[in-house]
Amino acid sequence: MKKKKLSEETKKQLIENGFQTDQLERFLSERGTTLVQFEQAAEILRNLFATPAVIVVIGSAGVGKTSTINAVFGVDWKVGVGERGTTFAQEAVFEIDAIHKVKIIDLPGIGDSIERDKQTAELYKKILPTADVVLYIVQADDRAFTDVEYSIKEYVLPNVSDVSRLVIGINKVDQLGQGTNEDIFWDEDFNYPSPAQMEYIEKKSYQTAKHIAKATGIKILWFTKKKINKKRIVAYSASKRYNLGELIRVICDAAGENSYKIPIQPANPLELMSEKAKQALEEAKKKAQNDQN
């Protein structure tokens, strides 16, 4: 019987991950698996991940779309949307690892001018139906949500394949409440909001969800019959890497059956802590372990 050979694509992936064909064959043999079975499994995986997940990001200039994309997906996209009022889409496909790829499409927001909004609306009609997830980013300290609510109701919802694909991101929450109360501050050492600022952030999330729900008629924050909190809105800070894990969780949830295509490797917020805070955290962990023993 002719010995099954691996495809060149599979060989390439193995070499990139430090394997040689003979090493793999021995590894599989020890576990009762053949190269034929491995190749079949590899082909299935290739077909599953051949088409990347499509994430459409919407928001006006300055809300932090590029920084969000980079922080959430672990990429280095240096191209921003540009000046306020830019009416074109920018897109890129990133190979996150040997399996995952993600296609990011960056779209401008609505609310610059009648003529520009017409052009943007055409982009929405063309692109939004193709999205696995639509992430609409707003700025945390922006109190003028009229344009956002109008954009979601009139331009986004009519064009998404399913309303559950929409996720609202409230970025730059580290700036919320600064200067209003001495208890409201961002702890730079631990890279984390103070308890008072945390409460302020949660209040802002609820108010934003309530306003959008009232204006658009969609639920983006609710409880199930089992009292499980469900949401399509997340308050976070891309620059501080705060709450990115929750953001990616909600994005995956919104992607539905295609959630397996979404890479999960948000930037680590602990890297932004001061050395003093890192040491204090390490000592606290050691103490907790000793207490358990």
Side-chain angles (χ1 to χ4, degrees):
M1 182 177 177
K2 189 175 180 180
K3 191 174 182 179
K4 172 72 176 181
K5 292 184 178 180
L6 296 179
S7 67
E8 291 302 316
E9 186 172 356
T10 300
K11 286 181 181 178
K12 180 182 177 182
Q13 291 177 348
L14 289 171
I15 292 172
E16 288 176 351
N17 287 279
F19 270 106
Q20 297 296 327
T21 304
D22 56 343
Q23 293 175 331
L24 176 65
E25 191 168 13
R26 286 195 301 271
F27 178 84
L28 295 174
S29 178
E30 291 171 358
R31 288 155 180 79
T33 303
T34 66
L35 281 175
V36 175
Q37 292 169 325
F38 178 84
E39 178 65 18
Q40 290 172 342
E43 184 64 22
I44 291 172
L45 284 174
R46 277 197 291 269
N47 291 336
L48 281 173
F49 290 95
T51 304
V54 178
I55 312 293
V56 174
V57 182
I58 300 176
S60 300
V63 299
K65 288 186 291 181
T66 302
S67 60
T68 296
I69 291 166
N70 290 339
V72 171
F73 298 106
V75 298
D76 186 20
W77 200 7
K78 293 183 172 62
V79 182
V81 169
E83 298 179 359
R84 181 173 174 81
T86 300
T87 53
F88 59 89
Q90 294 184 116
E91 63 180 69
V93 175
F94 297 98
E95 293 187 4
I96 307 301
D97 51 41
I99 295 177
H100 293 93
K101 292 185 292 185
V102 62
K103 182 177 183 179
I104 306 293
I105 304 179
D106 187 352
L107 293 179
I110 293 287
D112 285 309
S113 69
I114 294 176
E115 187 57 36
R116 285 171 175 167
D117 286 352
K118 287 181 180 179
Q119 297 173 37
T120 302
E122 289 304 312
L123 287 176
Y124 286 13
K125 289 180 182 178
K126 178 182 177 182
I127 294 173
L128 293 188
T130 69
D132 289 305
V133 178
V134 176
L135 174 60
Y136 200 121
I137 301 176
V138 298
Q139 192 163 307
D141 57 357
D142 187 356
R143 297 183 180 181
F145 277 93
T146 303
D147 288 343
V148 173
E149 293 164 352
Y150 177 76
S151 173
I152 292 172
K153 182 178 181 179
E154 300 296 328
Y155 298 103
V156 177
L157 293 180
N159 293 303
V160 293
S161 59
D162 189 318
V163 66
S164 64
R165 301 287 191 192
L166 176 64
V167 174
I168 308 297
I170 307 176
N171 192 18
K172 303 185 180 181
V173 296
D174 54 296
Q175 300 175 11
L176 279 178
Q178 297 277 17
T180 62
N181 186 314
E182 64 179 9
D183 293 328
I184 298 177
F185 62 92
W186 187 267
D187 190 323
E188 295 294 344
D189 277 332
F190 284 91
N191 191 37
Y192 207 75
S194 67
Q197 189 178 39
M198 174 74 80
E199 185 177 339
Y200 199 98
I201 290 170
E202 291 176 353
K203 183 179 179 181
K204 179 68 174 183
S205 297
Y206 176 77
Q207 290 176 338
T208 303
K210 185 177 179 180
H211 283 303
I212 292 176
K214 184 177 180 180
T216 64
I218 62 170
K219 291 192 300 183
I220 56 175
L221 183 64
W222 71 98
F223 286 89
T224 66
K225 292 181 180 179
K226 295 182 179 180
K227 307 299 182 183
I228 298 174
N229 186 8
K230 298 284 288 182
K231 60 183 176 181
R232 289 288 185 268
I233 184 168
V234 181
Y236 70 99
S237 172
S239 65
K240 301 295 186 181
R241 304 178 180 179
Y242 170 72
N243 217 23
L244 297 182
E246 182 67 1
L247 179 58
I248 194 67
R249 185 192 71 77
V250 173
I251 287 174
C252 287
D253 191 33
E257 62 182 14
N258 287 327
S259 62
Y260 69 91
K261 293 184 177 183
I262 309 290
I264 304 175
Q265 53 179 43
N268 186 1
L270 298 181
E271 293 177 351
L272 300 183
M273 291 171 58
S274 69
E275 290 303 318
K276 179 181 177 181
K278 290 178 182 177
Q279 184 177 352
L281 185 62
E282 189 61 32
E283 290 175 355
K285 287 182 180 179
K286 289 180 180 178
K287 185 178 184 303
Q289 289 176 351
N290 292 334
D291 291 343
Q292 288 180 351
N293 297 332

